[in-house]
Amino acid sequence: MIDDLIDGETHEERKAFFDAVYIRADGDDSKVPWSGDDAKPEVLAWLDANPAQEGMRALDIATGLGEHAQALARANYKVTAFDLADEAINWAKERFPDQPRGNPVTYVSADLFDLPQSWGQFDLVHECYTIQSLPDDIRAGAFDAIANCVAPGGTLLVYARTREEGLSWDQAPWPLMPSEFLRFEQAGLIKDKEVHFLRDGGSRKDIPHTFAIYRKPL
């Protein structure tokens, strides 16, 4: 359980929180609430319909324990996956010893707000539950930071919890409001599709989610 950990709302506090979650889990991925055995079904369906063409590169933002990065690699993308938590990156490297043959994922510790310029831009960028992990006051820059990772002609996949417009929220995670998805379009992307659905919240009621697909014009 992680209920006794202090979430914090500053950048440094959030990093400390995530590091603490992975350390406390001590190799048991079932104790990491946002981790799963495989990528989200909506993401898997999109990848099945859109496998990589030769040489296409993908970026998995805040990869956690790497299940989405592995799905991207299985779809033949050349994947760079990063996370702010060093513990997550070390664990992800160990979690998938049998990576797609000839196409291993590159796992790196990095900060979304200070990514290496040498990475350039990517044909596919995937973000799942990243923005919602940032409180309202510090996540405004995340939309531009993510959009800037997408190469002209490239695609962005966004998977997030959602809440009603204007609904206040006082604890992590902080679901996205409809107006926040518009920030991707304000950053120069074009929305291709947006799907709204409920996901099982376990002991809590079902949780509203959105899976959105954007592209960057050539």
Side-chain angles (χ1 to χ4, degrees), residues 110-127:
D111 184 338
L112 173 62
F113 299 106
D114 189 25
L115 296 178
Q117 292 185 357
S118 61
W119 287 5
Q121 295 178 309
F122 295 81
D123 302 290
L124 176 62
V125 175
H126 169 262
E127 105 78 355

Side-chain angles (χ1 to χ4, degrees), residues 31-113:
K31 295 182 179 179
V32 179
W34 46 84
S35 180
D37 293 331
D38 205 346
K40 297 291 189 285
E42 294 80 8
V43 176
L44 290 173
W46 189 91
L47 289 172
D48 284 344
N50 298 274
Q53 299 178 19
E54 183 67 27
M56 280 188 167
R57 301 168 64 231
L59 180 68
D60 189 30
I61 293 174
T63 191
L65 297 184
E67 59 269 17
H68 283 91
Q70 294 298 314
L72 297 175
R74 293 197 305 268
N76 294 322
Y77 290 90
K78 305 296 182 183
V79 183
T80 298
F82 76 89
D83 202 282
L84 185 64
D86 298 334
E87 293 291 334
I89 290 299
N90 293 334
W91 190 344
K93 290 177 180 178
E94 297 175 355
R95 190 184 185 202
F96 298 101
D98 299 322
Q99 298 205 46
R101 183 174 298 177
N103 189 29
V105 174
T106 299
Y107 288 104
V108 184
S109 296
D111 184 338
L112 173 62
F113 299 106

Side-chain angles (χ1 to χ4, degrees), residues 39-218:
K40 297 291 189 285
E42 294 80 8
V43 176
L44 290 173
W46 189 91
L47 289 172
D48 284 344
N50 298 274
Q53 299 178 19
E54 183 67 27
M56 280 188 167
R57 301 168 64 231
L59 180 68
D60 189 30
I61 293 174
T63 191
L65 297 184
E67 59 269 17
H68 283 91
Q70 294 298 314
L72 297 175
R74 293 197 305 268
N76 294 322
Y77 290 90
K78 305 296 182 183
V79 183
T80 298
F82 76 89
D83 202 282
L84 185 64
D86 298 334
E87 293 291 334
I89 290 299
N90 293 334
W91 190 344
K93 290 177 180 178
E94 297 175 355
R95 190 184 185 202
F96 298 101
D98 299 322
Q99 298 205 46
R101 183 174 298 177
N103 189 29
V105 174
T106 299
Y107 288 104
V108 184
S109 296
D111 184 338
L112 173 62
F113 299 106
D114 189 25
L115 296 178
Q117 292 185 357
S118 61
W119 287 5
Q121 295 178 309
F122 295 81
D123 302 290
L124 176 62
V125 175
H126 169 262
E127 105 78 355
C128 176
Y129 290 166
T130 306
I131 297 175
Q132 70 181 42
S133 72
L134 304 171
D136 296 348
D137 290 343
I138 66 172
R139 74 189 188 192
F143 300 90
D144 281 339
I146 292 172
N148 288 339
C149 293
V150 185
T155 300
L156 168 65
L157 307 180
V158 178
Y159 192 100
R161 294 186 182 199
T162 55
R163 57 174 148 152
E164 295 179 8
E165 191 67 35
L167 181 64
S168 62
W169 209 271
D170 60 3
Q171 62 181 3
W174 296 269
L176 275 66
M177 294 181 288
S179 63
E180 293 184 286
F181 286 92
L182 292 174
R183 295 187 185 185
F184 288 117
E185 296 177 68
Q186 293 165 358
L189 305 182
I190 297 171
K191 183 170 65 178
D192 276 346
K193 187 177 182 180
E194 187 175 87
V195 180
H196 305 279
F197 53 95
L198 297 175
R199 286 207 65 189
D200 183 3
S203 60
R204 294 174 291 180
K205 64 180 180 180
D206 289 345
I207 301 170
H209 279 68
T210 293
F211 179 53
I213 304 168
Y214 301 86
R215 59 183 172 86
K216 180 174 284 188
L218 289 169

